[in-house]
Amino acid sequence: MSHHEMTAEEVSHHVRTYLKVFGALLVLTVITVGVFYLHLPIVGAVVVALIVASIKGSLVACYFMHLISERGLIYWILALCALFFVVLLLLPVITDHEAVGTVTH
Amino acid sequence: MSKHDTHADHHHEELPFWRKYIFSVDHKVIGVQYTITALVFLMFGFALMMIMRWQLAYPGQPIPFIGKYLGDTIALDGILSGDGYNAFGAMHGTIMVFLAIVPLGVGGFGNYVLPLQIGAPDMAFPRLNMASYWIYLPGGIIMLASFFMPGGAANSGWTSYAPLSVIATTGQTMWLLGMVFLITSSLLGSVNFIVTAVQLRAKGLSFFRLPFFVWAQLVTSFLLLLAFPPLEAAAVLQLMDRVAGTSFFMPTGLVVSGVEQAHLSGGGSPLLWQHLFWFLAHPEVYVLILPALGIISEIIATNTRKPLWGYKSLVYSAIFLGFMSFIVWAHHMFMTGMGTTLSTFFQATTMIISVPSVIILTCLIISLYGASIRFTVPMLFALSFLPMFAIGGLTGLPLGLTASDIHLHDTYYVIGHFHYVVAPGTIFAVFAGIYHWFPKVTGRMMNSTLGRLHWFFSFIFINGVFMPMLFQGMAGILRRQYDQSEQLHGASAQGLSVMVSWSAWLLFVAQIPFIINFFWSIWKGQKVGANPWEATTLEWAAPSPPPHGNFDTVPVVYCGPYEYSVPGKKTDFCPQHVVA
Amino acid sequence: MSAAVAIPHDMEPHPVTGMYNGKFGLWLFLASEVMLFGALFSSYVLLRMGAPEGTWPKHGAEILNVPLATFNTVVLITSSVTMVMAWAALKMNNIARGQLFLTVTFLLAGAFLVVKYFEYSEKFNHFEVWLKEPMVVDGNSVSSIRGHLAKDCPPLTKETHIRAFAIPEFILLDPDAPAGSKEHPPTLRIDGGNIRRISDFGPAHSTFLATYFTLTGLHGLHIIGGMVVILYFMLTGSRFAQKRPDKYADRIECTGLYWHFVDLVWIFLFPVLYLL
């Protein structure tokens, strides 16, 4: 029942964390857009953009969605999900790109 | 609509009819709703196939009795047209897989039996459960309504390969919309099942005391949860192609009937559809078979009066099966020219996935060894399930090997192979389950003589349908052909086609005892108590039929699921809720 | 609802998962959503890697409006914060404050959609014409021209069966200003005979825009779904919260989980579609 007995102090501590995360997210948004205007070569741009997006996503998942204070099982389920997600993302890699977009005779 | 003041007494409130039987939140009512609806769809899908079988056995001849009622687009002068044949074929597959078998195995049996077997009062989210059914039903109705669209129902096969499906008639749009409904329904259902199985287990019912049926449902739900969304994505993309004029699956420079499709932006990939479709559709195979294996395990344990042999191997195999099913999908695509390296990888994973299937089958067969078997009707179906599933599984191996697949791909051999898995496999398991749990649902037994008739003739004729297909396939006759007798090798095997068709029609006749038995037993069947089969699992601890809320007292579990013939006990079974 | 049965772990966490039913169910639902958007992202990468030369923009910003999208990113992140603040307020039994934050979240979501509406409608009024024979515009020979239809251009019609614009007899087009200048070239008259294909910057324009509209459209539907739920709690929440404050906080927590996920999807959509 600990879940329902959060003290007001704990909650206000949470609130301070939320505001810090909010600040971090705004800074990271500015960084993403700023880096775009530098017009890096494509590989660099993709790497930077995805790393920043992943950090932002992790912040949202860990703090706003409280994933950081959850317990075992859900991590396993999400890990399974992440694994199949990666399998899905392998689709483009394993596809023969000569065959995409054109009719082969 | 009772005359009593329904607000006066909160403990014995009579719900109005529509809340009790139509928009019910009780998992048992919803399970029965799923079962009845899916059986109707099963019958309809079977009917479509029986009409197609006329064209295959007697090409170009008017269909007797019903041909003149089918309308000019489907059957001009009573002769099934090519377009009608295609639509029937596509809809037969779609209806059987998505509207009949999955709703029977998961929606019907899962809903009814799973909460009872884990000692729960209901599903974790009763109203969500109701929503699942009421999303499934419109999905099915949209699918069937497509027969009345201009150009008829979807006719690009149940796999809806692009670009053919993108340029097909309006029925295909209905098919996609229907799929979005069915997928949503399945997703809601699978969330509900997982939460229920994990969180609502009775006290003492640890994971390794769960009946195998519950494990099978749990793995199935994970497959539905994680494999269905990519098909939903694919359906959305194809819908965009058809409705918004995009080119996700339409390549640059596509020529249709000699006309270049200049209005397309192009750049799409037909292979993308196949990847996304089979990413679902291979796990879907296990969605079809795992609940069936769960049902069969329960029935075998009960009727052999022995614990299942290798319970833990069964559980681990089911989990491994579920996991592997996500990385075998491209063995459906060996012939797309995706490259030998990739084919070799998927050939290897396909061979690996056959191992857990064989373990499960072996465990079930060894369970029979040394038992004094009760040859009840459900057990007869279960016993015939085992060799039928074995034939279905083993005929799959030559299809998983790239070299032999070149010859067998898209022939009747494929049709024979997977029908052996789902028809005498899953559908026999469904019948077994209906005979097994009918006394729980209604409080009455089904008639055993009619049941035996049903089993015997079904068993004979279903082999008459699918065994010749394996031979036809090896002779090189292609599936989805409107008239195979036009080709020389097809004409020489025409006799087998006639045999298949007559077996199919007689298989229908063999279902009549079941239909009579089903309705007769609801009202006239022999009345029985809570546990007529002397089984151990928790559903038999509830009254027959169980009331809303299921158990009179909340059950506590003291032992494993299959404690039969324990030495030194008075009875040959120790129910899970009884202190040992 | 006296007919309802009491479901175990409706409120208190289960020892195996550490969660009550609703929260566990919502996480499972989100796992399936990951696979849904995962499949779409994967399709995007596949189509982009295989795109024929010159059919995919160098980056989305060539066509799309980055400042508007940046603004929308900030709006959505803020709405995520207000959502979690609503939950925190309810946890501290401050119902009025919780409802206020909920309302702010709803308004921010609305603002996101309004901005999206302007982004979309701009695309549907912008056209590209692909030519059979190149034309000279502003001294350059070009095979396709982008611009807005001139005021006195006859309206375009769509051929319903192929869902594309019919080739008109002629069109009058105000071409876009070339890069780095504000001056529009004079209105062009293009004969239908020289038009290979004409399209607005809608989904049918190119595979890039098809992906853009599908992904943002689906995301937008998720926003609308979330707004419907939030609106429901705005209207009925305070009365329910008086009766069962804990249950209400749980409901808002679940709504929040969904809402943060929608935010999370946008955090990836924004760079992938607009900046790469």
Side-chain angles (χ1 to χ4, degrees):
Chain A
M1 291 295 287
S2 63
H3 165 81
H4 286 286
E5 284 158 14
M6 266 163 91
T7 60
E9 203 169 319
E10 277 177 322
V11 175
S12 62
H13 178 73
H14 271 279
V15 169
R16 260 171 289 159
T17 315
Y18 299 148
L19 293 176
K20 277 183 210 156
V21 172
F22 181 42
L25 289 174
L26 291 182
V27 171
L28 287 168
T29 306
V30 172
I31 290 178
T32 320
V33 180
V35 168
F36 165 69
Y37 285 110
L38 292 179
H39 294 295
L40 293 179
I42 181 76
V43 178
V46 169
V47 170
V48 171
L50 288 186
I51 286 178
V52 174
S54 303
I55 296 174
K56 286 166 81 180
S58 312
L59 284 175
V60 170
C62 287
Y63 294 101
F64 289 171
M65 298 167 91
H66 303 134
L67 200 54
I68 204 156
S69 48
E70 294 300 351
R71 299 178 33 188
L73 189 69
I74 195 68
Y75 284 110
W76 285 104
I77 293 173
L78 291 178
L80 191 71
C81 177
L83 181 70
F84 293 139
F85 180 76
V86 170
V87 172
L88 260 181
L89 284 182
L90 283 177
L91 271 184
V93 183
I94 64 177
T95 305
D96 179 7
H97 288 286
E98 296 297 305
V100 177
T102 49
V103 180
T104 42
H105 295 283
Chain B
M1 310 294 169
S2 71
K3 283 177 192 164
H4 309 291
D5 181 3
T6 50
H7 297 286
D9 189 344
H10 280 270
H11 291 289
H12 300 283
E13 182 179 343
E14 274 292 308
L15 285 170
F17 177 82
W18 62 275
R19 284 279 308 277
K20 201 169 169 186
Y21 295 111
I22 297 173
F23 294 101
S24 173
V25 293
D26 185 343
H27 73 100
K28 298 181 292 298
V29 178
I30 296 168
V32 172
Q33 284 175 328
Y34 262 115
T35 308
I36 305 273
T37 317
L39 282 173
V40 171
F41 280 126
L42 188 76
M43 213 46 236
F44 186 76
F46 189 27
L48 292 181
M49 191 273 283
M50 286 194 285
I51 297 171
M52 290 165 72
R53 282 313 316 181
W54 176 266
Q55 163 65 23
L56 289 171
Y58 305 107
Q61 293 184 33
I63 307 161
F65 312 123
I66 52 167
K68 51 184 174 290
Y69 302 111
L70 291 176
D72 284 353
T73 42
I74 292 175
L76 189 60
D77 300 327
I79 302 165
L80 188 62
S81 69
D83 282 341
Y85 180 87
N86 284 344
F88 277 26
M91 293 309 282
H92 166 75
T94 308
I95 288 171
M96 287 307 204
V97 172
F98 296 106
L99 293 173
I101 311 281
V102 176
L104 274 171
V106 181
F109 285 102
N111 248 318
Y112 198 97
V113 179
L114 183 134
L116 283 166
Q117 280 197 336
I118 61 170
D122 205 315
M123 295 289 268
F125 310 112
R127 273 181 292 180
L128 193 70
N129 201 14
M130 178 182 84
S132 302
Y133 176 78
W134 287 104
I135 294 171
Y136 154 71
L137 189 64
I141 291 171
I142 289 172
M143 286 275 183
L144 292 197
S146 68
F147 275 104
F148 301 102
M149 298 302 287
N155 50 18
S156 314
W158 80 282
T159 51
S160 288
Y161 276 6
L164 179 65
S165 53
V166 177
I167 57 169
T169 47
T170 327
Q172 182 65 24
T173 308
M174 303 278 280
W175 188 91
L176 291 164
L177 280 175
M179 282 311 284
V180 170
F181 273 80
L182 295 176
I183 293 169
T184 310
S185 157
S186 282
L187 285 178
L188 298 181
S190 61
V191 167
N192 216 340
F193 276 80
I194 297 171
V195 175
T196 308
V198 173
Q199 310 240 114
L200 264 56
R201 284 167 294 124
K203 202 173 163 223
L205 191 58
S206 58
F207 277 108
F208 278 103
R209 282 180 177 176
L210 286 176
F212 183 64
F213 179 84
V214 177
W215 271 110
Q217 290 287 342
L218 192 57
V219 175
T220 304
S221 296
F222 269 105
L223 298 185
L224 287 174
L225 184 78
L226 298 178
F228 246 140
L231 182 65
E232 187 151 33
V236 168
L237 295 182
Q238 198 180 97
L239 207 57
M240 288 294 282
D241 272 7
R242 291 184 54 87
V243 177
T246 60
S247 298
F248 288 112
F249 304 124
M250 304 294 265
T252 305
L254 181 71
V255 176
V256 176
S257 308
V259 182
E260 198 194 338
Q261 305 294 298
H263 64 278
L264 290 175
S265 64
S269 164
L271 265 191
L272 176 61
W273 169 266
Q274 295 195 21
H275 275 305
L276 293 177
F277 180 84
W278 287 114
F279 190 89
L280 156 87
H282 201 80
E284 178 79 8
V285 173
Y286 296 95
V287 170
L288 298 173
I289 197 66
L290 273 171
L293 289 168
I295 294 170
I296 295 298
S297 308
E298 298 301 302
I299 291 169
I300 285 186
T302 308
N303 289 287
T304 54
R305 318 305 296 165
K306 278 174 62 193
L308 279 181
W309 194 88
Y311 167 78
K312 279 199 176 176
S313 319
L314 282 172
V315 171
Y316 286 127
S317 298
I319 294 171
F320 187 61
L321 202 65
F323 179 80
M324 286 302 289
S325 71
F326 280 92
I327 42 173
V328 296
W329 80 87
H331 67 209
H332 297 271
M333 298 163 61
F334 285 153
M335 300 292 278
T336 56
M338 61 182 180
T340 45
T341 324
L342 205 53
S343 296
T344 312
F345 172 77
F346 281 104
Q347 169 179 289
T349 53
T350 305
M351 292 304 118
I352 292 171
I353 204 174
S354 63
V355 175
S357 321
V358 170
I359 292 177
I360 292 179
L361 194 62
T362 310
C363 287
L364 293 178
I365 291 176
I366 295 178
S367 297
L368 303 176
Y369 180 74
S372 67
I373 297 172
R374 293 181 179 175
F375 286 97
T376 57
V377 178
M379 189 59 179
L380 291 173
F381 275 100
L383 285 174
S384 42
F385 169 92
L386 296 177
M388 296 296 101
F389 177 63
I391 295 175
L394 294 176
T395 50
L397 292 177
L399 294 171
L401 295 165
T402 46
S404 43
D405 185 59
I406 292 173
H407 178 66
L408 297 171
H409 184 83
D410 253 356
T411 65
Y412 266 92
Y413 183 88
V414 180
I415 308 263
H417 150 66
F418 72 75
H419 277 89
Y420 257 106
V421 178
V422 287
T426 306
I427 293 180
F428 268 30
V430 164
F431 282 132
I434 290 176
Y435 285 105
H436 186 64
W437 280 300
F438 193 87
K440 180 52 56 188
V441 178
T442 60
R444 290 170 189 272
M445 277 295 206
M446 282 179 88
N447 182 288
S448 158
T449 313
L450 283 171
R452 276 158 210 271
L453 275 176
H454 173 217
W455 165 75
F456 182 76
F457 288 108
S458 296
F459 185 63
I460 301 289
F461 292 125
I462 210 156
N463 280 291
V465 174
F466 298 119
M467 190 61 83
M469 286 188 182
L470 297 173
F471 296 115
Q472 284 186 319
M474 284 186 274
I477 297 172
L478 294 178
R479 68 193 285 198
R480 290 183 181 158
Q481 270 184 327
Y482 172 60
D483 182 359
Q484 62 205 25
S485 68
E486 278 179 348
Q487 289 161 320
L488 192 59
H489 65 294
S492 63
Q494 187 63 16
L496 285 176
S497 285
V498 176
M499 175 185 167
V500 170
S501 294
W502 277 100
S503 300
W505 300 324
L506 290 171
L507 181 62
F508 169 74
V509 177
Q511 306 313 303
I512 293 173
F514 171 75
I515 297 168
I516 295 171
N517 196 354
F518 190 85
F519 289 104
W520 183 82
S521 304
I522 291 177
W523 290 285
K524 300 277 181 182
Q526 182 204 341
K527 278 196 178 174
V528 287
N531 191 0
W533 307 113
E534 302 178 306
T536 50
T537 43
L538 281 182
E539 77 267 35
W540 305 104
S544 302
H548 195 46
N550 293 344
F551 295 92
D552 298 334
T553 51
V554 180
V556 178
V557 172
Y558 299 98
C559 61
Y562 306 115
E563 299 283 316
Y564 290 101
S565 306
V566 181
K569 297 285 174 208
K570 261 187 230 153
T571 54
D572 70 343
F573 67 108
C574 308
Q576 284 189 286
H577 63 286
V578 175
V579 189
Chain C
M1 282 292 290
S2 61
V5 206
I7 305 291
H9 300 290
D10 185 37
M11 303 262 311
E12 77 279 14
H14 190 280
V16 170
T17 55
M19 293 178 181
Y20 53 91
N21 292 342
K23 195 163 151 188
F24 185 41
L26 213 105
W27 270 108
L28 291 171
F29 172 70
L30 294 184
S32 86
E33 291 275 83
V34 168
M35 295 303 281
L36 176 67
F37 282 100
L40 291 169
F41 270 115
S42 173
S43 308
Y44 161 86
V45 179
L46 184 139
L47 292 169
R48 179 167 189 175
M49 283 170 73
E53 198 61 31
T55 55
W56 203 279
K58 220 173 100 220
H59 39 65
E62 256 179 35
I63 298 178
L64 304 174
N65 191 330
V66 176
L68 273 185
T70 311
F71 175 75
N72 249 353
T73 308
V74 174
V75 166
L76 213 54
I77 290 176
T78 314
S79 82
S80 230
V81 178
T82 55
M83 189 77 214
V84 80
M85 294 296 247
W87 172 76
L90 289 169
K91 272 284 170 196
M92 290 192 277
N93 281 325
N94 194 339
I95 296 170
R97 195 175 142 91
Q99 293 299 95
L100 178 70
F101 271 122
L102 216 52
T103 312
V104 175
T105 311
F106 182 82
L107 293 176
L108 286 168
F112 179 90
L113 286 185
V114 169
V115 172
K116 206 83 217 136
Y117 168 78
F118 283 115
E119 267 192 88
Y120 273 18
S121 54
E122 189 195 314
K123 294 285 159 286
F124 284 110
N125 290 318
H126 194 192
F127 283 82
E128 179 152 8
V129 182
W130 289 266
L131 305 167
K132 288 179 179 162
E133 299 294 329
M135 282 175 79
V136 177
V137 182
D138 231 22
N140 300 316
S141 171
V142 290
S143 58
S144 79
I145 307 170
R146 295 172 176 187
H148 294 84
L149 294 184
K151 274 204 186 78
D152 40 358
C153 178
L156 294 174
T157 53
K158 274 204 174 183
E159 287 188 43
T160 47
H161 65 290
I162 57 169
R163 293 158 217 96
F165 285 103
I167 307 290
E169 221 169 289
F170 69 94
I171 60 159
L172 299 168
L173 194 73
D174 290 329
D176 292 345
S181 111
K182 295 245 159 173
E183 239 167 273
H184 286 268
T187 303
L188 275 178
R189 186 195 145 100
I190 308 171
D191 275 326
N194 194 26
I195 297 177
R196 192 159 58 83
R197 177 171 177 249
I198 179 167
S199 171
D200 55 18
F201 278 68
H205 175 272
S206 57
T207 307
F208 168 69
L209 277 171
T211 318
Y212 164 78
F213 275 100
T214 309
L215 277 167
T216 56
L218 200 64
H219 179 261
L221 286 179
H222 278 78
I223 297 261
I224 292 171
M227 284 175 75
V228 169
V229 175
I230 294 173
L231 183 67
Y232 173 76
F233 286 131
M234 278 162 61
L235 297 177
T236 65
S238 16
R239 206 166 353 128
F240 186 76
Q242 307 286 353
K243 272 192 290 183
R244 302 178 66 189
D246 279 357
K247 180 82 183 159
Y248 186 60
D250 283 355
R251 286 188 171 178
I252 295 301
E253 188 183 17
C254 288
T255 314
L257 280 177
Y258 171 82
W259 193 252
H260 303 314
F261 177 79
V262 174
D263 181 24
L264 208 154
V265 170
W266 181 258
I267 284 175
F268 282 91
L269 280 184
F270 169 57
V272 166
L273 290 176
Y274 289 82
L275 305 181
L276 293 179

